[in-house]
Amino acid sequence: MSEFDFLIIGSGIAGLTYAIKVANELPEAKIAIVTKADEKESNTKYAQGGIAVVIDEISDSYQQHVNDTLKAGDGLCKKDIVKIVVGEGPKRFKELVEWGVNFDKKNGKYDLGLEGGHSKKRILHHKDITGLEIEKTLLNQIYQKPNIHLFSQHFAIDLITEHHLNKKNDIYSRKPLCYGAYIFSTIDEKIIPFTSKITLLATGGIGQVYQNTTNPTIATGDGIAMAYRAKIILNSIEFIQFHPTALYHSTTNPSFLISEAVRGFGALLRNKSGELFMQQYDNRKELASRDIVSRAIDNELKKSGDECVFLDCRHLNIDEFKNHFPNILQKMNEIGINLKQDMIPVVPAAHYLCGGISVNEFGQSSIENLYACGECAYTGLHGANRLASNSLLEALVFADRCFQNSIKLVESIILPENIPGWNDERTTQPKELILITHNLKELQNLMSDYVGIIRSEERLEKANKRLKMLYEETEEMYKKNKISPQLIELRNMITVAYLIVQQSLKRTENKGAFYKTS
Ligand code: FAD
Ligand code: SIN
């Protein structure tokens, strides 16, 4: 058993920011960060466009950022949360700069980018590798804190809650307590309870549930599935944001993103015949919010039967492009696309989960002493559709709020002594690991085919039936076989897919990223 004051699950922007703040404030506290892969691996690392923050109150205003967020969220944002996040953004941004994150400047001022749904230029960025710059800098801070114990290749399987101690249901007349999580070290193949007074879920997104996604392979919705098994309240899981412009290259996982900032820079969308089409869908054209642009592309592809549309950068100043988007340009060079002559083939891809673990304005979940932050959390900021570059911002603001709230609680918490070890009755190795791979592929295909940008009752029912079979087969494997990361991830992804399908069946009104035909 390993005992901590703070257990943080996940090493993206949300988990790392929270850890740095706690470590600075409470140098005596014992803090653990567990992360299932290499510590750098996260959605954060791949963020391109940047962070939306009102930094220049002459050309921009808080009210305009609030309005843009509300408009993108299509009536389902929590207004008080939107005001909080937009209002606290500049302070949190300054902290990032103080920790050493380098944001691009032009003539001594921050160089602000533009993205879909924003009425003003307000995207702070580091070239087109903003996430990598943030991830590296935050980890450098973490490495310098002696009271942070960083466990990479450590996989959280399940939360430890009161029901592990007391199987009777009658204790739940109040909020049950969380005591940490069961952690699987993939280095020595041991599962041990990491007990903790405060636990933070910062496990990120779910993109890998779909066949085409911009999310790296770690994005398997583990935190959402763990929370669901612990009966924690979830919200808005049906709102999956598809990014309009992932590079069309059918065999790569994840799909390479062509940042929305490229459209903000002037790139245009054309169909295979070379025609512009966005003017038919929204008067903001290429800079409409993502849900609108993705549906427009989906519609164009359905009408034409083509496999992709094209992003046209041929009219842009390539030297300036190179300066702002060196990573994208390098990728284009690698695959033989000359931006002066060729257009970039693009398709929409699963990108972001707008819903998640329901939390209050301090990041507290429906279980005591358990917080959630970042993409796995539902704060109410995004409503039915996230405004571009509001995700890194939300993670920063809520990491601070979780920190402020949890440091007040930690001293009063006493952990029980009878926390049981992991009950591992499974003895055999999976007979054929390939069965896990087959089921994973089937899951990803069925989610892309039946639960994509445009859903229907009929398709959702089909998905439901197939999911049931996959669920039963996988549960059978889980009960009989020795645990492996692949098996846990598959099981978690099936849970997330089930939740998306169930919530999609229940939802009767089309809003933002959710669209269902009858
Ligand atoms: P992540 O950064 O995904 O971190 C999750 C961590 O949890 C990882 O370390 C993972 O390994 C770990 N983990 C997961 N499950 C387990 C488990 N079971 N046990 C242990 N560890 C676990 N947003 C913006 O605002 N601006 C952008 O420009 C932008 N660009 C993007 C570009 C791309 C290609 C992608 C994919 C996303 C982009 N986003 C952007 C979204 C944004 O990057 C993410 O929403 C945000 O980084 C999520 O941060 P996080 O800390 O919540 O999760
Ligand atoms: C992008 O750069 O297009 C991604 C921005 C985001 O997801 O907010």
Side-chain angles (χ1 to χ4, degrees):
M1 175 117 66
S2 297
E3 200 172 312
F4 298 93
D5 298 307
F6 295 87
L7 169 64
I8 297 151
I9 306 175
S11 58
I13 187 171
L16 297 180
T17 304
Y18 176 82
I20 293 167
K21 290 189 160 228
V22 174
N24 284 344
E25 184 72 19
L26 302 175
E28 301 303 318
K30 211 175 152 196
I31 304 164
I33 303 176
V34 298
T35 190
K36 68 179 177 179
D38 169 79
E39 64 260 31
K40 278 192 221 64
E41 198 53 16
S42 57
N43 273 6
T44 301
K45 179 180 153 190
Y46 298 91
Q48 292 188 354
I51 308 185
V53 182
V54 177
I55 213 76
D56 176 355
E57 281 190 72
I58 298 166
S59 65
D60 195 2
S61 72
Y62 293 115
Q63 194 53 52
Q64 280 168 300
H65 190 182
V66 166
N67 291 347
D68 293 345
T69 303
L70 294 175
K71 189 168 180 191
D74 205 7
L76 295 190
C77 302
K78 286 190 186 165
K79 283 191 188 148
D80 52 336
I81 297 295
V82 176
K83 279 190 193 152
I84 286 173
V85 173
V86 169
E88 294 178 10
K91 269 196 208 145
R92 305 285 81 87
F93 168 74
K94 277 182 198 133
E95 280 167 358
L96 271 190
V97 174
E98 278 160 24
W99 290 335
V101 182
N102 186 9
F103 288 94
D104 290 352
K105 288 190 171 173
K106 211 177 189 176
N107 305 325
K109 282 182 149 189
Y110 283 114
D111 179 21
L112 302 175
L114 184 65
E115 290 182 15
H118 288 274
S119 56
K120 296 284 169 188
K121 284 189 164 188
R122 61 169 76 96
I123 315 297
L124 293 136
H125 55 88
H126 178 94
K127 309 283 178 198
D128 53 357
I129 49 167
T130 310
L132 184 63
E133 169 72 8
I134 293 173
E135 185 72 25
K136 267 186 346 202
T137 311
L138 294 180
L139 278 170
N140 281 340
Q141 287 285 326
I142 297 285
Y143 298 142
Q144 291 166 37
K145 313 272 174 224
N147 59 335
I148 297 183
H149 307 262
L150 177 60
F151 299 89
S152 57
Q153 316 297 340
H154 277 62
F155 199 122
I157 303 176
D158 263 319
L159 293 165
I160 307 172
T161 57
E162 233 171 314
H163 86 273
H164 288 100
L165 274 67
N166 180 351
K167 300 258 174 343
K168 287 183 203 146
N169 287 329
D170 57 8
I171 58 164
Y172 298 134
S173 51
R174 57 171 170 75
K175 276 171 133 191
L177 300 162
C178 178
Y179 300 130
Y182 290 107
I183 307 293
F184 177 28
S185 159
T186 50
I187 303 163
D188 55 15
E189 303 221 334
K190 286 206 172 87
I191 301 171
I192 28 174
F194 275 45
T195 61
S196 184
K197 295 176 182 171
I198 300 284
T199 304
L200 177 81
L201 278 173
T203 47
I206 59 110
Q208 286 290 324
V209 164
Y210 287 88
Q211 193 188 13
N212 293 321
T213 178
T214 61
N215 292 192
T217 53
I218 52 98
T220 54
D222 300 344
I224 309 282
M226 278 190 266
Y228 177 72
R229 287 194 289 271
K231 302 197 169 31
I232 292 167
I233 298 173
L234 307 171
N235 203 329
S236 296
I237 303 288
E238 67 273 34
F239 293 103
I240 311 294
Q241 180 173 81
F242 287 79
H243 196 292
T245 55
L247 179 66
Y248 174 65
H249 201 261
S250 51
T251 51
T252 45
N253 179 16
S255 303
F256 183 81
L257 182 74
I258 312 292
S259 174
E260 196 150 302
V262 173
R263 275 176 285 131
F265 192 74
L268 298 168
L269 282 165
R270 295 183 188 274
N271 60 23
K272 202 174 174 183
S273 318
E275 293 153 355
L276 298 169
F277 56 84
M278 272 314 299
Q279 72 286 354
Q280 297 165 37
Y281 297 90
D282 193 285
N283 56 18
R284 291 168 293 174
K285 300 177 191 162
E286 275 77 4
L287 288 177
S289 55
R290 283 188 189 160
D291 52 335
I292 295 171
V293 183
S294 289
R295 266 197 302 277
I297 296 176
D298 188 71
N299 193 43
E300 290 295 310
L301 297 181
K302 281 189 177 132
K303 272 194 316 195
S304 63
D306 294 335
E307 289 188 325
C308 62
V309 294
F310 295 88
L311 196 59
D312 187 359
C313 300
R314 292 172 297 181
H315 54 292
L316 301 177
N317 178 322
I318 296 297
D319 289 334
E320 278 182 32
F321 188 100
K322 186 176 176 185
N323 193 30
H324 194 152
F325 306 108
N327 180 43
I328 294 175
L329 190 63
Q330 188 187 332
K331 179 76 182 177
M332 294 305 108
N333 290 338
E334 277 166 22
I335 61 172
I337 290 182
N338 176 348
L339 288 187
K340 283 188 188 151
Q341 291 162 13
D342 309 319
M343 296 193 288
I344 310 173
V346 290
V347 281
H351 184 63
Y352 185 82
L353 173 64
C354 300
I357 301 161
S358 192
V359 295
N360 66 11
E361 70 270 38
F362 304 111
Q364 293 173 294
S365 75
S366 61
I367 281 199
E368 214 70 68
N369 307 333
L370 177 76
Y371 293 72
C373 185
E375 190 165 340
C376 71
Y378 165 84
T379 64
L381 173 71
H382 310 305
N385 176 48
R386 174 176 67 98
L387 182 67
S389 288
N390 264 359
S391 170
L392 297 173
L393 172 67
E394 182 195 43
L396 286 177
V397 168
F398 268 86
D400 180 69
R401 295 189 139 248
C402 292
F403 150 73
Q404 300 284 357
N405 191 274
S406 58
I407 55 162
K408 284 189 225 145
L409 287 188
V410 70
E411 267 189 32
S412 62
I413 300 170
I414 299 165
L415 286 170
E417 290 190 345
N418 55 338
I419 292 175
W422 177 256
N423 176 10
D424 194 358
E425 285 158 0
R426 311 159 183 85
T427 46
T428 54
Q429 289 288 355
K431 280 201 195 78
E432 291 183 283
L433 269 176
I434 194 71
L435 290 179
I436 299 177
T437 316
H438 285 167
N439 282 2
L440 174 60
K441 280 198 179 137
E442 201 175 327
L443 173 75
Q444 291 169 329
N445 284 339
L446 88 84
M447 289 301 285
S448 291
D449 289 346
Y450 298 132
V451 199
I453 298 177
I454 310 267
R455 302 175 196 166
S456 73
E457 294 286 324
E458 195 188 340
R459 282 165 181 246
L460 289 168
E461 288 297 356
K462 280 191 178 157
N464 211 14
K465 274 193 201 145
R466 286 164 171 74
L467 266 178
K468 196 164 176 284
M469 275 162 50
L470 281 177
Y471 169 77
E472 282 162 6
E473 271 179 39
T474 307
E475 282 307 292
E476 192 69 16
M477 278 197 255
Y478 183 76
K479 279 182 200 136
K480 287 193 181 150
N481 293 313
K482 206 166 173 187
I483 273 181
S484 68
Q486 296 88 335
L487 182 54
I488 314 170
E489 285 182 341
L490 173 64
R491 191 169 177 248
N492 288 339
M493 283 191 271
I494 290 174
T495 301
V496 171
Y498 166 81
L499 292 168
I500 299 170
V501 170
Q502 292 308 311
Q503 292 311 307
S504 300
L505 281 166
K506 278 191 197 141
R507 170 155 282 282
T508 50
E509 197 184 6
N510 289 338
K511 284 272 175 198
F514 182 88
Y515 197 93
K516 180 169 75 173
T517 57
S518 49

